[in-house]
Amino acid sequence: AQTVTQSQPEMSVQEAETVTLSCTYDTSENNYYLFWYKQPPSRQMILVIRQEAYKQQNATENRFSVNFQKAAKSFSLKISDSQLGDTAMYFCAFMKHSGGSNYKLTFGKGTLLTVNP
Amino acid sequence: KAGVTQTPRYLIKTRGQQVTLSCSPISGHRSVSWYQQTPGQGLQFLFEYFSETQRNKGNFPGRFSGRQFSNSRSEMNVSTLELGDSALYLCASTPSGSYEQYFGPGTRLTVT
């Protein structure tokens, strides 16, 4: 079974600054996907960024980037130029690669990020 | 394209009753997954359906069941409700050939 650990229950950052959210996972699988989801107070879960384990290059989506360390089983999210709208709960999630037959996500407990003006 | 829709958005039920929640995936998506979100347990996988077949099931009691229709719409049912079933129930759909899940707004179930 896979586990996902987010060690920071809460974090805060000033608007326009950079913040990094941590995530570690445990798995015996070699092929898998990792995700960061954002859940603002409206409760709608939104995909922020994804990473395929077989890709060495870290994924980037505008102000969001990850630091994927496969050997260390670490998957941190960096948010640059933080905006008030980034205030949300952030979840790290794992999915085993299964050729399209397994879409089960395993989530961490989440990190509540508050961006202060 | 319209996003994933879930109905109802809010629901209040009494212990012992049963409830049915509905999820309509994004058009063309054939996989639908369900998750339960509670403050104590976090987000937990319930089950996943693809082409009307349950492919995966999480570690939940048999009171939790689901089905998927030929148009990919899915329902989940919880029988003999318990107070601990109070949660936000999220549905997500996935397009064929992808692994990204797109979530609906959720159904907030309160059991009294």
Side-chain angles (χ1 to χ4, degrees), chain A residues 54-72:
Chain A
Y54 63 86
K55 289 186 178 179
Q56 292 186 343
Q57 186 171 5
N58 290 322
T60 300
E61 289 284 345
N62 300 313
R63 298 182 296 106
F64 299 88
S65 62
V66 299
N67 183 2
F68 173 49
Q69 302 289 327
K70 191 173 183 180

mmCIF file of all heavy atoms in Angstrom, chain A residues 54-72:
data_model
loop_
_atom_site.group_PDB
_atom_site.id
_atom_site.type_symbol
_atom_site.label_atom_id
_atom_site.label_comp_id
_atom_site.label_asym_id
_atom_site.label_seq_id
_atom_site.Cartn_x
_atom_site.Cartn_y
_atom_site.Cartn_z
ATOM 1 N N TYR A 54 8.535 8.543 -14.339
ATOM 2 C CA TYR A 54 9.591 8.166 -15.273
ATOM 3 C C TYR A 54 10.279 9.380 -15.890
ATOM 4 O O TYR A 54 11.308 9.267 -16.557
ATOM 5 C CB TYR A 54 9.046 7.273 -16.379
ATOM 6 C CG TYR A 54 8.012 7.916 -17.268
ATOM 7 C CD1 TYR A 54 8.382 8.675 -18.385
ATOM 8 C CD2 TYR A 54 6.652 7.775 -17.010
ATOM 9 C CE1 TYR A 54 7.430 9.263 -19.205
ATOM 10 C CE2 TYR A 54 5.695 8.354 -17.828
ATOM 11 C CZ TYR A 54 6.088 9.095 -18.928
ATOM 12 O OH TYR A 54 5.146 9.676 -19.742
ATOM 13 N N LYS A 55 9.714 10.565 -15.668
ATOM 14 C CA LYS A 55 10.313 11.785 -16.197
ATOM 15 C C LYS A 55 11.237 12.406 -15.154
ATOM 16 O O LYS A 55 10.831 12.662 -14.024
ATOM 17 C CB LYS A 55 9.232 12.787 -16.589
ATOM 18 C CG LYS A 55 8.439 12.390 -17.815
ATOM 19 C CD LYS A 55 7.491 13.513 -18.225
ATOM 20 C CE LYS A 55 6.739 13.134 -19.495
ATOM 21 N NZ LYS A 55 5.776 14.199 -19.912
ATOM 22 N N GLN A 56 12.467 12.653 -15.544
ATOM 23 C CA GLN A 56 13.406 13.257 -14.603
ATOM 24 C C GLN A 56 13.186 14.756 -14.489
ATOM 25 O O GLN A 56 13.459 15.346 -13.443
ATOM 26 C CB GLN A 56 14.839 12.966 -15.048
ATOM 27 C CG GLN A 56 15.219 11.489 -14.936
ATOM 28 C CD GLN A 56 16.681 11.251 -15.255
ATOM 29 O OE1 GLN A 56 17.344 12.103 -15.844
ATOM 30 N NE2 GLN A 56 17.184 10.094 -14.875
ATOM 31 N N GLN A 57 12.681 15.364 -15.547
ATOM 32 C CA GLN A 57 12.492 16.808 -15.533
ATOM 33 C C GLN A 57 11.334 17.176 -14.627
ATOM 34 O O GLN A 57 10.248 16.584 -14.705
ATOM 35 C CB GLN A 57 12.235 17.312 -16.940
ATOM 36 C CG GLN A 57 12.177 18.830 -17.043
ATOM 37 C CD GLN A 57 12.129 19.298 -18.481
ATOM 38 O OE1 GLN A 57 12.038 18.497 -19.408
ATOM 39 N NE2 GLN A 57 12.170 20.601 -18.682
ATOM 40 N N ASN A 58 11.552 18.163 -13.788
ATOM 41 C CA ASN A 58 10.497 18.625 -12.888
ATOM 42 C C ASN A 58 9.417 19.374 -13.655
ATOM 43 O O ASN A 58 9.712 20.197 -14.522
ATOM 44 C CB ASN A 58 11.088 19.540 -11.812
ATOM 45 C CG ASN A 58 11.952 18.786 -10.828
ATOM 46 O OD1 ASN A 58 11.644 17.655 -10.447
ATOM 47 N ND2 ASN A 58 13.046 19.399 -10.408
ATOM 48 N N ALA A 59 8.177 19.096 -13.302
ATOM 49 C CA ALA A 59 7.047 19.743 -13.966
ATOM 50 C C ALA A 59 6.919 21.203 -13.524
ATOM 51 O O ALA A 59 7.246 21.559 -12.380
ATOM 52 C CB ALA A 59 5.760 18.989 -13.648
ATOM 53 N N THR A 60 6.436 22.018 -14.449
ATOM 54 C CA THR A 60 6.215 23.446 -14.180
ATOM 55 C C THR A 60 4.914 23.875 -14.836
ATOM 56 O O THR A 60 4.636 23.486 -15.973
ATOM 57 C CB THR A 60 7.368 24.299 -14.750
ATOM 58 O OG1 THR A 60 8.591 23.895 -14.142
ATOM 59 C CG2 THR A 60 7.148 25.766 -14.463
ATOM 60 N N GLU A 61 4.126 24.643 -14.103
ATOM 61 C CA GLU A 61 2.887 25.211 -14.631
ATOM 62 C C GLU A 61 2.800 26.648 -14.143
ATOM 63 O O GLU A 61 2.363 26.924 -13.033
ATOM 64 C CB GLU A 61 1.654 24.426 -14.134
ATOM 65 C CG GLU A 61 1.489 23.060 -14.714
ATOM 66 C CD GLU A 61 0.975 23.061 -16.147
ATOM 67 O OE1 GLU A 61 0.479 24.119 -16.602
ATOM 68 O OE2 GLU A 61 1.093 22.019 -16.809
ATOM 69 N N ASN A 62 3.254 27.563 -14.982
ATOM 70 C CA ASN A 62 3.224 28.992 -14.645
ATOM 71 C C ASN A 62 3.969 29.252 -13.336
ATOM 72 O O ASN A 62 5.169 29.006 -13.245
ATOM 73 C CB ASN A 62 1.776 29.487 -14.587
ATOM 74 C CG ASN A 62 1.066 29.293 -15.905
ATOM 75 O OD1 ASN A 62 1.588 29.621 -16.954
ATOM 76 N ND2 ASN A 62 -0.134 28.722 -15.847
ATOM 77 N N ARG A 63 3.289 29.701 -12.303
ATOM 78 C CA ARG A 63 3.955 30.035 -11.036
ATOM 79 C C ARG A 63 4.208 28.802 -10.162
ATOM 80 O O ARG A 63 4.811 28.912 -9.091
ATOM 81 C CB ARG A 63 3.107 31.041 -10.264
ATOM 82 C CG ARG A 63 2.902 32.366 -10.961
ATOM 83 C CD ARG A 63 2.082 33.339 -10.112
ATOM 84 N NE ARG A 63 0.721 32.881 -9.871
ATOM 85 C CZ ARG A 63 0.282 32.404 -8.711
ATOM 86 N NH1 ARG A 63 1.101 32.325 -7.662
ATOM 87 N NH2 ARG A 63 -0.977 32.017 -8.580
ATOM 88 N N PHE A 64 3.726 27.656 -10.594
ATOM 89 C CA PHE A 64 3.827 26.432 -9.795
ATOM 90 C C PHE A 64 4.892 25.512 -10.397
ATOM 91 O O PHE A 64 4.898 25.273 -11.601
ATOM 92 C CB PHE A 64 2.485 25.709 -9.761
ATOM 93 C CG PHE A 64 1.373 26.524 -9.139
ATOM 94 C CD1 PHE A 64 0.609 27.381 -9.917
ATOM 95 C CD2 PHE A 64 1.101 26.426 -7.787
ATOM 96 C CE1 PHE A 64 -0.409 28.133 -9.345
ATOM 97 C CE2 PHE A 64 0.082 27.169 -7.217
ATOM 98 C CZ PHE A 64 -0.671 28.036 -7.991
ATOM 99 N N SER A 65 5.752 25.004 -9.544
ATOM 100 C CA SER A 65 6.750 24.044 -9.989
ATOM 101 C C SER A 65 6.967 23.014 -8.885
ATOM 102 O O SER A 65 6.612 23.241 -7.730
ATOM 103 C CB SER A 65 8.071 24.746 -10.338
ATOM 104 O OG SER A 65 8.598 25.395 -9.193
ATOM 105 N N VAL A 66 7.501 21.872 -9.283
ATOM 106 C CA VAL A 66 7.757 20.836 -8.295
ATOM 107 C C VAL A 66 9.238 20.504 -8.265
ATOM 108 O O VAL A 66 9.976 20.740 -9.216
ATOM 109 C CB VAL A 66 6.940 19.551 -8.584
ATOM 110 C CG1 VAL A 66 5.456 19.844 -8.528
ATOM 111 C CG2 VAL A 66 7.343 18.936 -9.919
ATOM 112 N N ASN A 67 9.634 19.943 -7.126
ATOM 113 C CA ASN A 67 10.974 19.376 -6.993
ATOM 114 C C ASN A 67 10.769 17.899 -6.703
ATOM 115 O O ASN A 67 10.403 17.513 -5.587
ATOM 116 C CB ASN A 67 11.734 20.054 -5.855
ATOM 117 C CG ASN A 67 13.161 19.522 -5.740
ATOM 118 O OD1 ASN A 67 13.595 18.677 -6.540
ATOM 119 N ND2 ASN A 67 13.893 20.003 -4.764
ATOM 120 N N PHE A 68 10.934 17.089 -7.726
ATOM 121 C CA PHE A 68 10.693 15.654 -7.635
ATOM 122 C C PHE A 68 12.011 14.936 -7.426
ATOM 123 O O PHE A 68 12.902 14.984 -8.276
ATOM 124 C CB PHE A 68 10.008 15.167 -8.914
ATOM 125 C CG PHE A 68 9.852 13.681 -9.007
ATOM 126 C CD1 PHE A 68 9.316 12.945 -7.955
ATOM 127 C CD2 PHE A 68 10.214 13.005 -10.174
ATOM 128 C CE1 PHE A 68 9.162 11.572 -8.056
ATOM 129 C CE2 PHE A 68 10.053 11.635 -10.280
ATOM 130 C CZ PHE A 68 9.542 10.911 -9.219
ATOM 131 N N GLN A 69 12.136 14.279 -6.292
ATOM 132 C CA GLN A 69 13.324 13.499 -5.964
ATOM 133 C C GLN A 69 12.893 12.043 -5.793
ATOM 134 O O GLN A 69 12.443 11.639 -4.714
ATOM 135 C CB GLN A 69 13.965 14.028 -4.676
ATOM 136 C CG GLN A 69 14.371 15.489 -4.713
ATOM 137 C CD GLN A 69 15.560 15.724 -5.617
ATOM 138 O OE1 GLN A 69 16.443 14.872 -5.745
ATOM 139 N NE2 GLN A 69 15.602 16.895 -6.238
ATOM 140 N N LYS A 70 13.019 11.262 -6.867
ATOM 141 C CA LYS A 70 12.484 9.908 -6.856
ATOM 142 C C LYS A 70 13.164 9.024 -5.822
ATOM 143 O O LYS A 70 12.512 8.259 -5.120
ATOM 144 C CB LYS A 70 12.602 9.274 -8.248
ATOM 145 C CG LYS A 70 11.839 7.962 -8.379
ATOM 146 C CD LYS A 70 11.826 7.456 -9.798
ATOM 147 C CE LYS A 70 10.988 6.185 -9.916
ATOM 148 N NZ LYS A 70 10.950 5.660 -11.311
ATOM 149 N N ALA A 71 14.470 9.103 -5.725
ATOM 150 C CA ALA A 71 15.199 8.236 -4.785
ATOM 151 C C ALA A 71 14.811 8.555 -3.349
ATOM 152 O O ALA A 71 14.679 7.660 -2.512
ATOM 153 C CB ALA A 71 16.699 8.400 -4.976
ATOM 154 N N ALA A 72 14.598 9.799 -3.078
ATOM 155 C CA ALA A 72 14.217 10.225 -1.733
ATOM 156 C C ALA A 72 12.715 10.144 -1.519
ATOM 157 O O ALA A 72 12.236 10.358 -0.397
ATOM 158 C CB ALA A 72 14.692 11.653 -1.485
#
